[in-house]
Amino acid sequence: MKALGVAVVGTGFIGPVHVEAVRRLGHRVVGILGSSPEKSRVAADQLGLEKGYASLAGVLADDAVQVVHLASPNVLHFPQCRQVLAAGKHVVCEKPLAMTTAESAELVKLAVASPVVAAVNYNVRFYPLVLEARERVRAGGVGRVFHVSGSYLQDWLLYPTDFNWRVRAEDGGGLRAFADIGTHWIDTVCFITGLEVEAVFADLQTVHPTRQQPTGGGETFTASANRDRRAAVEVPVATEDAGSLLLRFRGGAKGSLTVSQVTAGRKNCLRFDIAGAEASLVWDSEEPNALHIGYRTKPNERLIRDPALMTASVTPFANYPGGHAEGFPDTFKQLYRAVYADVTNGRSESPLYATFADGHREVQLCEAILRSHREEKWVTV
Amino acid sequence: MKALGVAVVGTGFIGPVHVEAVRRLGHRVVGILGSSPEKSRVAADQLGLEKGYASLAGVLADDAVQVVHLASPNVLHFPQCRQVLAAGKHVVCEKPLAMTTAESAELVKLAVASPVVAAVNYNVRFYPLVLEARERVRAGGVGRVFHVSGSYLQDWLLYPTDFNWRVRAEDGGGLRAFADIGTHWIDTVCFITGLEVEAVFADLQTVHPTRQQPTGGGETFTASANRDRRAAVEVPVATEDAGSLLLRFRGGAKGSLTVSQVTAGRKNCLRFDIAGAEASLVWDSEEPNALHIGYRTKPNERLIRDPALMTASVTPFANYPGGHAEGFPDTFKQLYRAVYADVTNGRSESPLYATFADGHREVQLCEAILRSHREEKWVTV
Amino acid sequence: MKALGVAVVGTGFIGPVHVEAVRRLGHRVVGILGSSPEKSRVAADQLGLEKGYASLAGVLADDAVQVVHLASPNVLHFPQCRQVLAAGKHVVCEKPLAMTTAESAELVKLAVASPVVAAVNYNVRFYPLVLEARERVRAGGVGRVFHVSGSYLQDWLLYPTDFNWRVRAEDGGGLRAFADIGTHWIDTVCFITGLEVEAVFADLQTVHPTRQQPTGGGETFTASANRDRRAAVEVPVATEDAGSLLLRFRGGAKGSLTVSQVTAGRKNCLRFDIAGAEASLVWDSEEPNALHIGYRTKPNERLIRDPALMTASVTPFANYPGGHAEGFPDTFKQLYRAVYADVTNGRSESPLYATFADGHREVQLCEAILRSHREEKWVTV
Amino acid sequence: MKALGVAVVGTGFIGPVHVEAVRRLGHRVVGILGSSPEKSRVAADQLGLEKGYASLAGVLADDAVQVVHLASPNVLHFPQCRQVLAAGKHVVCEKPLAMTTAESAELVKLAVASPVVAAVNYNVRFYPLVLEARERVRAGGVGRVFHVSGSYLQDWLLYPTDFNWRVRAEDGGGLRAFADIGTHWIDTVCFITGLEVEAVFADLQTVHPTRQQPTGGGETFTASANRDRRAAVEVPVATEDAGSLLLRFRGGAKGSLTVSQVTAGRKNCLRFDIAGAEASLVWDSEEPNALHIGYRTKPNERLIRDPALMTASVTPFANYPGGHAEGFPDTFKQLYRAVYADVTNGRSESPLYATFADGHREVQLCEAILRSHREEKWVTV
Ligand SMILES: NC(=O)C1=CN([C@@H]2O[C@H](COP(=O)(O)OP(=O)(O)OC[C@H]3O[C@@H](n4cnc5c(N)ncnc54)[C@H](O)[C@@H]3O)[C@@H](O)[C@H]2O)C=CC1
Ligand SMILES: NC(=O)C1=CN([C@@H]2O[C@H](COP(=O)(O)OP(=O)(O)OC[C@H]3O[C@@H](n4cnc5c(N)ncnc54)[C@H](O)[C@@H]3O)[C@@H](O)[C@H]2O)C=CC1
Ligand SMILES: NC(=O)C1=CN([C@@H]2O[C@H](COP(=O)(O)OP(=O)(O)OC[C@H]3O[C@@H](n4cnc5c(N)ncnc54)[C@H](O)[C@@H]3O)[C@@H](O)[C@H]2O)C=CC1
Ligand SMILES: NC(=O)C1=CN([C@@H]2O[C@H](COP(=O)(O)OP(=O)(O)OC[C@H]3O[C@@H](n4cnc5c(N)ncnc54)[C@H](O)[C@@H]3O)[C@@H](O)[C@H]2O)C=CC1
């Protein structure tokens, strides 16, 4: 293998996850960029990286860097993607791709016009059993899909004292829980089933209309389960803490999704139930090494993530033998495996990773969801 | 204890379940009524009962009978309830209470005017851990309830060759899956949380617009998993096989429910997730001996159905020590325990079992669900 | 069906379980016998039974009684069985059949000589999925059985303040946990696999060498989880609280079993893992409605207790459709279904229920286990 | 951080796992050594490593290398460890440390005499919830430990056509399944409880006395579930496929362990039940993100691997937020995190990782197990 040079933008929760995953593949993370040169330096030092960049321009000017990963807050994705594409470097952008469809549509155009690889970081696709579920649908084992239901539940914003930039519409977008985690679910089930969303009906909820914003800044998933008692100021919150969505897919299948960031005890639980004419598929991200396959005429199955039992095309993405549990960090590795293969060998026609077109569709869905909630009617996407 | 005399109407799937449950309590099942005198006789003989009645009139004329259980098809509930009430006998009616709110409203009036005990057979309330969940909400352990989501999934109508009187609107009602099993879910979560449904939004699905109706009649849950190859005629089906529902409760809580009778591998799976400000409660009828309690600031709990660990008021309804699994048949016993206590001691003010008023509310919900689906808008109940 | 007349001896934990199960089948429980006429009367009244007997002689003189169930403490099984057999009545004796092999051997002889049906109450056999597991082994689906391992764990004797007649060797026998619950496990796995124990090696443990014996008497599985603070006197305890056993079966298979009545959090958890050349079977009495079937070359299965998916000969013992959970009480019903069929139709050659010969073998095992522990060597049975 | 230079010996199943884990930490894997210079080159190329070494001497002569990881077959551990220690480089040796206690005792002496860090790769210790279990025992939450039971089950050697160097006593050692995986279990439970094994009693089983040895060589956990049909020759096998072990710990606690590499459906399932006076702990390596805590007087707990809910000293080893599943590969990262901290900062007094003394104790246990099995008696360790 030929090692690629990679730079990561973002030093918060998920930036270092990118760094670790790139390294597992044997590629070289040249440096990192934070919100200030000082933060970049500190992060580079902590992570043992050569360079802490002073600016995105600095990253883009670095010839050692072929691929740029954007793991910054949502509001920066659009301007930063544009810059990276303009510089002719490959880009992996965190989700959501942009704040508006106007932005994401422009990025799609730019990406298509450019020769580089441009991916959106929908990592859930790369759980080996999610890939396997997709192959089973494609091979006909599930039959015509009737219905998809599920949920994505978390509890890290349960208390009114919990705060993060995501709760502020100006930083995260007007739609919060659905944009932040709900789109992972929709991307995943559409990826597996091949279905396309035709229309949505939403009903959202802000259970805490005000929250305590720490005056010192709040990080994602900070390691304390307790109600903070830090200095804080009460601010109004307009984005949703939870909500439910009905979906209509092209071709007649239907679906439903519940999303919440305020469900006590659920840490990061994405779950789907795909009901087809021959079988159903159930999977839960908190127990990602098992796929449950339901049947009417024979015993249900519990397929363990085991390369020896999975479809051949999936096994490159399941690196450990059965029973040797893989998890969340592994999905980033596998996603970049697919992206870097295209970087090295040229863009493939229908890549496994989410393209900017996929990312754009999710932003469209977000706008439709918000409109449906406000207007209390079905909105066609 | 003083043994009561009981008669059961209905010899299909659920009638004999009533018989068994009544017997467990030490009461006397005097006889049974089927759709013909001959069927009554055969059932009485098989079940070891003294009398196979010739008609409901015969049941009502029998002085040995104080309580009548109606386990006949839905369309008969209204006329039969009316007769039983007119005869001054106590009545336990299977759900749904009636086919229309006009009917159910009349039954409520008749029941209020009568001195007898009148209950609707919402048995799910009587799983010991459902009763326990309710006590925990009432005691404040869950906090303000934000959201209730869940599903009721089965697969016995998965194939177009599956048939039962429930699929025909004229026998089961225009709403099928939601009326048949969805109302169990709504009754259960309202019972637990004390919430009242304010408005619903529904989207229903008939995945098999035609089905093969056996010319010889089709029974409920027949013991074959296979696609039948019996003589049959293709008939159009208007009732829903599956669907999703959004709920708004009075006071601001919201909810969502998915119902299906065509989800492969789910035999009879009622599941709820109740999310509150302090804790969440998760329960699944296929594993009824565990209640999952989610927390943010401490480990989640898995409460086993164990009288030693449950609220004192619930323990009379949990008759076996922890680890000695109870199940579906036990709920009927516990429901009749509560009903017969009122028969013996006089009507209690807020009984645990569902009253006719509760049954009426479920019929109202069914009408609202069907209207919402047809008009594609929120319908206030 | 023709209803049989039944009497139950024992008014503690398990006696009333027998009463309930007999009633479910439509048979008639004529009366009950406790440790005193007064106790018999109270129990008869509470359970709604006609007669509270004054003595076993009274039971045996009652022509209305054809079958006697013995649910008294272990030490009484031998003398009471003998009396029942002498009276020519059918008998269902709780386990263990007797205190010594001398006693149990005599009972076997008496039973063989008598025309009545004589069964030992090893109810675990009658979980529908245990019966199904047996059929699958017999049909060859598991292949040659290599190994059987498992455990039977409880926590009701965890604290030194917990007390029951079982801890006293003179009332329960010199072997406690293994005799009380371990024999259920051995009976179950031998029943399923058809294997016979050839030799055992045991290591036992008394974690509380003294216990607080309440001066007022202590009942089985009393509904309090807490350390009692009742008047009590400290007594030495010689019987084991826990222990482990290695087994050698005739033909080369091996096994291991851990038994404990002091494992916090396990209420009544019998679990086995049967490993064969083609498949393995795992089952847990706390989740009795699922049988886990392990494979090497295809996904593992989770077979739900569903008559539609089970072997035809087992379905009479699985009375509720898939997903409608059955449990512990149902096993008593099914056991008596099998016993009473023989009472009515004559003794069958190889009954599903445990015969006195089976019960005798368990007593032999108990003696071998105790000897092996004391002598620290393999003991052939 | 200062990046260390690392070399890995072994290019089979587990060598590349070491490479990946070292990289995640930001350290530099300089090169790799296989069984031939050619194999080294191929592996270096595939993994994107600079150097494919020609010999261990070459590794040890490389100044860029400070730490050597030995992931070669068991029989090489002793000679290779000796060479690495002699060269004054830090060493991480795969388990078991050596083939005999004579060898392992010598290595302990050499390691003590040397200033380097010397660790044995018992990675199971580094599942975050295993570390947490240990902290909970130490903090008294479990109370005096009465009993430890469990199993380590796999199925990759189920068929007589399965082969690997481990089945040959000369390559893997006379004890196989217990040495290969059983020692992981013993190391883990002793690590958690602080207990020391005093004596063992074993009963082993070779279910396939002959196996088909492929003439072309057989790798570990090859990705085929099927019975191989490759060219092979039938060879006798003396090592055990499965077995059971009784344990006595110093201080009175007891234990039992079942080990098997022929249990269909279990891929890599290490499970323990630790029973203490106050609580019990249950964990399963196939679902490593949950620790089950059993209680008598309150609901059982299911602790999710969540830094926010874990003991502070453990959180550095749990790098992802709750619900973001970690797995088997992560344990190698955390183990090397602990080892490299000592490499950088000097040897700590009681390190979390297994020292050579710990590794020696496991080899002692292996010898005792084999002797006990052969002599059919308790063997003191
Ligand atoms: N795929 C997945 O599973 C996940 C995706 N994400 C996505 O990743 C992005 C980052 O989220 P988190 O890491 O959770 O947030 P965070 O708040 O923990 O980290 C954001 C980082 O961006 C840095 N940043 C801010 N302004 C910057 C600038 N101008 N230039 C460079 N860096 C700047 C901040 O210093 C901070 O380190 C979001 O878009 C989020 O949606 C986050 C978590 C999981
Ligand atoms: N609470 C629960 O969990 C359940 C409730 N049910 C309810 O119980 C009722 C019966 O359902 P199944 O037993 O499943 O149906 P089924 O079709 O198996 O049995 C219905 C029985 O009613 C008898 N019947 C028909 N006409 C009659 C008449 N004129 N007089 C007396 N009996 C007559 C039929 O012969 C048949 O035996 C339904 O209303 C259903 O909604 C059914 C199953 C479960
Ligand atoms: N198969 C199973 O799953 C179970 C079997 N058992 C077995 O059932 C038997 C009874 O156990 P438990 O009900 O738990 O004990 P318990 O102590 O709760 O009840 C024993 C009963 O026997 C009565 N008794 C005492 N002396 C008597 C006499 N001379 N004549 C008639 N009755 C007398 C006592 O009054 C008491 O009601 C034991 O042999 C036990 O091993 C117990 C529980 C479960
Ligand atoms: N901690 C854990 O979880 C695990 C530990 N192990 C241990 O790791 C070791 C290796 O096991 P696997 O990778 O499964 O075996 P393997 O057979 O897959 O690989 C062994 C490797 O050693 C290489 N080798 C042979 N002779 C050599 C020599 N003279 N110099 C350098 N390399 C040589 C072989 O080419 C092969 O690549 C064993 O000691 C095993 O017990 C293995 C798997 C998991």
Side-chain angles (χ1 to χ4, degrees), chain B residues 20 302 320 325 328 333, chain C residues 20 287 302 320 325 328 333:
Chain B
E20 191 180 73
R302 186 175 182 279
Y320 286 80
F328 176 83
K333 177 177 80 169
Chain C
E20 190 180 75
E287 294 184 5
R302 185 175 183 277
Y320 286 80
F328 176 83
K333 178 178 79 169

Side-chain angles (χ1 to χ4, degrees), chain C residues 20-313:
Chain C
E20 190 180 75
V22 174
R23 282 173 156 168
R24 291 175 81 170
L25 290 169
H27 294 286
R28 179 172 160 238
V29 185
V30 182
I32 193 160
L33 173 69
S35 55
S36 70
E38 172 58 16
K39 280 202 164 180
S40 300
R41 261 193 306 276
V42 170
D45 195 53
Q46 275 174 352
L47 296 163
L49 297 173
E50 198 182 317
K51 305 179 188 170
Y53 293 101
S55 67
L56 184 54
V59 173
L60 300 177
D62 188 343
D63 283 347
V65 173
Q66 287 112 59
V67 191
V68 178
H69 287 237
L70 298 174
S72 47
N74 303 352
V75 75
L76 297 176
H77 295 174
F78 172 66
Q80 292 181 336
C81 266
R82 231 179 9 183
Q83 284 180 266
V84 179
L85 289 174
K89 298 204 189 277
H90 306 283
V91 63
V92 176
C93 182
E94 266 298 352
K95 33 61 50 181
L97 178 56
M99 299 286 279
T100 66
T101 47
E103 291 176 356
S104 57
E106 187 183 330
L107 291 178
V108 172
K109 239 185 277 169
L110 293 173
V112 167
S114 149
V116 302
V117 173
V120 186
N121 205 77
Y122 283 109
N123 63 298
V124 180
R125 294 182 174 206
F126 285 89
Y127 279 101
L129 288 172
V130 168
L131 292 166
E132 178 68 20
R134 180 170 172 266
E135 289 310 319
R136 290 186 170 237
V137 172
R138 287 157 64 101
V142 170
R144 175 164 66 97
V145 171
F146 296 153
H147 200 277
V148 186
S149 60
S151 52
Y152 200 147
L153 307 176
Q154 300 180 328
D155 72 0
W156 67 291
L157 295 173
L158 177 61
Y159 300 131
T161 44
D162 299 317
F163 202 85
N164 183 268
W165 55 261
R166 285 165 174 87
V167 309
R168 293 167 32 103
E170 51 277 40
D171 293 337
L175 195 73
R176 186 221 314 163
F178 272 91
D180 193 33
I181 56 178
T183 56
H184 268 303
W185 188 93
I186 301 175
D187 179 73
T188 301
V189 305
C190 291
F191 175 68
I192 292 171
T193 61
L195 293 171
E196 282 169 29
V197 178
E198 185 173 270
V200 293
F201 184 93
D203 193 33
L204 310 179
Q205 248 183 308
T206 303
V207 303
H208 299 306
T210 65
R211 287 182 177 264
Q212 300 300 116
Q213 176 167 15
T215 45
E219 281 134 39
T220 305
F221 283 116
T222 43
S224 161
N226 297 300
R227 293 170 166 86
D228 285 322
R229 294 286 167 246
R230 293 181 288 170
V233 48
E234 186 162 346
V235 297
V237 170
T239 57
E240 88 283 6
D241 293 314
S244 293
L245 184 72
L246 304 184
L247 299 126
R248 289 181 180 164
F249 298 98
R250 261 176 263 290
K254 301 204 170 187
S256 63
L257 167 64
T258 298
V259 168
S260 168
Q261 297 183 311
V262 291
T263 297
R266 300 306 180 85
K267 304 309 168 186
N268 190 43
C269 183
L270 182 162
R271 189 189 148 107
F272 59 74
D273 278 58
I274 296 171
E278 300 298 334
S280 71
L281 301 175
V282 180
W283 182 83
D284 176 340
S285 66
E286 293 200 358
E287 294 184 5
N289 291 284
L291 177 68
H292 305 268
I293 312 175
Y295 297 104
R296 159 75 173 277
T297 55
K298 56 178 183 174
N300 293 340
E301 291 174 349
R302 185 175 183 277
L303 173 65
I304 294 179
R305 188 205 52 74
D306 180 351
L309 297 175
M310 289 159 70
T311 306
S313 66

Side-chain angles (χ1 to χ4, degrees), chain A residues 11-14 34-35 72-74 77 94-95 123 165-166 220:
Chain A
T11 61
F13 161 40
I14 213 69
S35 56
S72 47
N74 302 353
H77 296 174
E94 265 298 352
K95 36 60 47 181
N123 64 298
W165 55 261
R166 285 164 174 87
T220 306

Side-chain angles (χ1 to χ4, degrees), chain B residues 11-14 34-35 72-74 77 94-95 123 165-166 220:
Chain B
T11 61
F13 162 40
I14 214 69
S35 55
S72 47
N74 303 353
H77 296 175
E94 267 297 352
K95 35 61 47 180
N123 64 298
W165 55 261
R166 286 164 173 88
T220 305

Side-chain angles (χ1 to χ4, degrees), chain A residues 20 302 320 325 328 333, chain D residues 20 287 302 320 325 328 333:
Chain A
E20 190 181 73
R302 186 174 181 277
Y320 286 80
F328 176 83
K333 178 178 80 169
Chain D
E20 191 180 74
E287 294 184 5
R302 185 175 183 277
Y320 286 80
F328 176 83
K333 177 177 80 169

Side-chain angles (χ1 to χ4, degrees), chain A residues 55-109:
Chain A
S55 68
L56 184 54
V59 173
L60 300 177
D62 188 343
D63 283 346
V65 172
Q66 287 111 59
V67 191
V68 179
H69 286 235
L70 297 174
S72 47
N74 302 353
V75 73
L76 296 175
H77 296 174
F78 172 66
Q80 292 181 336
C81 267
R82 229 174 17 179
Q83 283 179 268
V84 180
L85 288 174
K89 297 205 190 276
H90 305 283
V91 61
V92 176
C93 182
E94 265 298 352
K95 36 60 47 181
L97 179 55
M99 299 286 278
T100 66
T101 47
E103 291 177 357
S104 58
E106 189 182 328
L107 291 178
V108 172
K109 242 187 271 169

Side-chain angles (χ1 to χ4, degrees), chain A residues 178-203:
Chain A
F178 271 92
D180 193 34
I181 56 177
T183 58
H184 267 303
W185 188 93
I186 301 175
D187 180 72
T188 301
V189 305
C190 290
F191 175 68
I192 292 171
T193 60
L195 293 172
E196 283 170 27
V197 178
E198 187 174 87
V200 293
F201 184 93
D203 193 34

